[in-house]
Amino acid sequence: MLLTTIYSSNLGNLLLSCISLAVIFFFLNRLASISKWFFSSPWHQSPLSLLKRRARAWAFLFRGTAIIEEEYTKADGNPFFVEVPENRYLIVSSWKHVKEIDSAPEHVLSLQGAAKELLQPKHTMSKFNWMDKRGAEGVPLIRTLRVMLTSHLPEVLPDIRRSLNVLMDDTFESLSTKDGKTVTAKLYPMVIKGIAYSNALAFFGEEFAKNEKFMKAGMDFIEQTLLIAEILRLLPKTLSEPVGRFLSSKLNSSQVLFETLLPVAQQRVDERERAKLGQKVPQHKDCIQWTMESAPKATPWSAERIVYELIALWFGSVHITSTTACFAIHDLCLHLEYIEPLRKEIESTGWEAFTQSGGKSFPLLDSFMKESARLTPVESVSTRRMALEPFHLSDGSGIVQPGEWICTAARGMMMDSSVFANPNEFQGFRFVDPLVLEKLDSNTDTLSQQNGGDSVKTNFTDIADWQLWGTGRCACPGRYYAAAVMKTMLGLFVTKYDMKLTDPDAVRYFSWRTFIYPFPGTKVTLSRR
């Protein structure tokens, strides 16, 4: 996705030049540090060793997932360091250490600080320059997602399903087909368009979902954010400010989002003030309203601050949800034996029951999604924290200094044979309650037996034994909404089409740092049922 943007954009040559300059300046900066080290170091220290470490650090950009996997295997459960071009990470894999990270105060280990470095919001999110530690300021958005949006799911899911159904039909009709029943389409653009539309509908209402300029900016925003942030992370700090201003002026999707949302947020703020005077004002049920109402009463947020929070919410909800859903559809195409049991589950349970449950129904589909995310997670690490103060693991096995990161080896833990039987095999019903599996018909029971006794009931949204959504008190508060939307999309694909990857042997994804991205050009063949 990131590389696709670089090569396909009209600004491609310009962006490649910026990346090249970033690399050159970073190397010059590091060369100065290496020279200083060389001339001040004892002779027994090898400059060749240092150069090898720096080469491996730069290789992390392209081989990050593989490097973490190699170090995870060698570490045998112990913490280990991985160097990256601008920093180094301490990566842990024991639940004891995971809980220590989660319990560390925000002024010591900061999720906000790591996210700020990762996304560079000052230049990617309309000058929203986050604090290094969030504290109580994060409560409004958490309450909006975890409480208000989640409780609103039974109301919004029918609209999302109808809208996705129409979008999928329109896409199908727009593609050339000989018999009117079969088409070939690029999968990822379909998925991200559907997820973005669903989010606009659920977060802001139908008016925003039908605003073509807003929706285009909403989809462009994901890739532009990743691209700008990556360039700035590789630049020396003295250059990141002017280059950031230049790039954000050219790749300005966040500004379109900001300018579209701001008048509505300002109207809500005005209504809030009128309500205080006893005037009658309209009632609204959307994320704009919930975020405003959840903000501190003593220091109410301005319209601008509300919009900043919503833009950050948009990035996380579209990026992770669309990528995870895309990989799950890949797996549906690669493991066609699961299609019929999933269809039967959806059709026998019914969408009404799914809606009434707030998206918690369909345990077979839930397990399939979780197994897909286990084998092809969007990220190789989780629970990122930046150290604002020195942090020691309690057993003395690792320490991070201010500015360094500590993370969990999410992908390694999910592929560990001591945790999962036959971890390299796709077992779509691995996480289904054994009692549910006992009631399945013979065909589905054959699939359940592939689990080799590994079936344990855990849900896609669980965090007690699962790193997909983060950890503990900082786990993603919007995971219930995201899971429900993904189930809706996958359920429609399963019930509407027979499907297969057009080229099953083609490479479907690539990695950059710790992330795994689907290729936007991967095609799927869809046939109407």
Side-chain angles (χ1 to χ4, degrees), residues 85-96:
E86 72 287 350
N87 203 341
R88 72 171 186 165
Y89 305 160
L90 177 62
I91 301 180
V92 308
S93 58
S94 77
W95 282 102
K96 173 187 175 183

Side-chain angles (χ1 to χ4, degrees), residues 286-401:
D286 55 36
C287 287
I288 303 173
Q289 190 72 20
W290 296 328
T291 301
M292 180 185 71
E293 292 175 352
S294 300
K297 303 299 181 186
T299 54
W301 282 357
S302 66
E304 289 82 358
R305 178 58 191 277
I306 293 168
V307 174
Y308 284 146
E309 295 285 343
L310 295 172
I311 290 176
L313 163 63
W314 180 269
F315 175 84
S317 60
V318 175
H319 171 46
I320 300 298
T321 307
S322 60
T323 305
T324 303
C326 190
F327 285 139
I329 296 172
H330 286 179
D331 284 321
L332 284 170
C333 293
L334 292 169
H335 304 281
L336 296 175
E337 65 272 22
Y338 287 94
I339 294 288
E340 194 56 36
L342 293 174
R343 275 184 188 149
K344 287 183 178 179
E345 174 183 61
I346 295 166
E347 291 170 352
S348 62
T349 302
W351 287 110
E352 184 177 351
F354 174 77
T355 297
Q356 291 175 351
S357 73
K360 294 178 182 178
S361 298
F362 306 158
L364 299 185
L365 182 58
D366 190 279
S367 175
F368 188 96
M369 290 164 54
K370 188 167 184 176
E371 179 72 347
S372 174
R374 184 186 70 83
L375 282 167
T376 317
V378 178
E379 300 187 30
S380 294
V381 300
S382 183
T383 318
R384 289 185 181 86
R385 303 288 188 272
M386 175 187 283
L388 303 182
E389 297 179 9
F391 174 78
H392 299 253
L393 293 172
S394 61
D395 57 9
S397 57
I399 177 174
V400 284
Q401 299 295 343

Side-chain angles (χ1 to χ4, degrees), residues 1-204:
M1 182 168 60
L2 187 62
L3 295 179
T4 300
T5 302
I6 294 174
Y7 289 118
S8 64
S9 170
N10 292 330
L11 294 172
N13 292 332
L14 174 63
L15 295 175
L16 283 173
S17 299
C18 289
I19 292 175
S20 300
L21 285 173
V23 172
I24 290 169
F25 278 112
F26 196 92
F27 266 123
L28 289 174
N29 188 45
R30 290 298 176 183
L31 183 60
S33 300
I34 293 170
S35 299
K36 181 178 179 181
W37 172 88
F38 177 75
F39 289 110
S40 62
S41 297
W43 286 106
H44 69 270
Q45 294 187 19
S46 167
L48 181 60
S49 174
L50 179 61
L51 289 173
K52 286 182 177 179
R53 290 205 310 272
R54 294 311 305 158
R56 186 171 173 83
W58 278 89
F60 186 86
L61 296 177
F62 306 96
R63 297 190 63 249
T65 56
I67 289 173
I68 292 172
E69 185 176 345
E70 293 164 5
E71 296 299 323
Y72 177 88
T73 301
K74 289 191 292 186
D76 193 27
N78 297 310
F80 57 92
F81 277 102
V82 170
E83 292 193 38
V84 301
E86 72 287 350
N87 203 341
R88 72 171 186 165
Y89 305 160
L90 177 62
I91 301 180
V92 308
S93 58
S94 77
W95 282 102
K96 173 187 175 183
H97 292 151
V98 173
K99 291 175 182 177
E100 288 182 23
I101 296 173
D102 182 47
S103 61
E106 180 74 10
H107 68 269
V108 177
L109 294 181
S110 173
L111 170 64
Q112 180 93 346
K116 181 178 178 181
E117 183 178 308
L118 183 69
L119 298 177
Q120 302 288 319
K122 182 179 180 182
H123 298 294
T124 62
M125 299 185 182
S126 298
K127 302 178 182 179
F128 185 20
N129 198 19
W130 301 346
M131 302 287 287
D132 283 337
K133 53 183 179 180
R134 192 174 184 91
E137 289 291 282
V139 172
L141 201 57
I142 292 173
R143 183 177 183 274
T144 294
L145 295 173
R146 179 63 185 91
V147 179
M148 305 305 294
L149 181 60
T150 301
S151 64
H152 191 56
L153 282 174
E155 299 175 48
V156 75
L157 283 176
D159 291 335
I160 288 176
R161 187 177 72 257
R162 283 191 291 268
S163 298
L164 284 176
N165 199 32
V166 171
L167 280 175
M168 293 166 75
D169 285 344
D170 288 346
T171 300
F172 195 98
E173 295 296 335
S174 69
L175 298 171
S176 59
T177 173
K178 294 181 179 179
D179 58 5
K181 295 181 179 180
T182 302
V183 300
T184 298
K186 293 180 179 179
L187 179 60
Y188 182 73
M190 286 183 66
V191 172
I192 192 172
K193 184 176 182 180
I195 295 298
Y197 193 94
S198 300
N199 286 359
L201 196 65
F203 296 173
F204 312 129

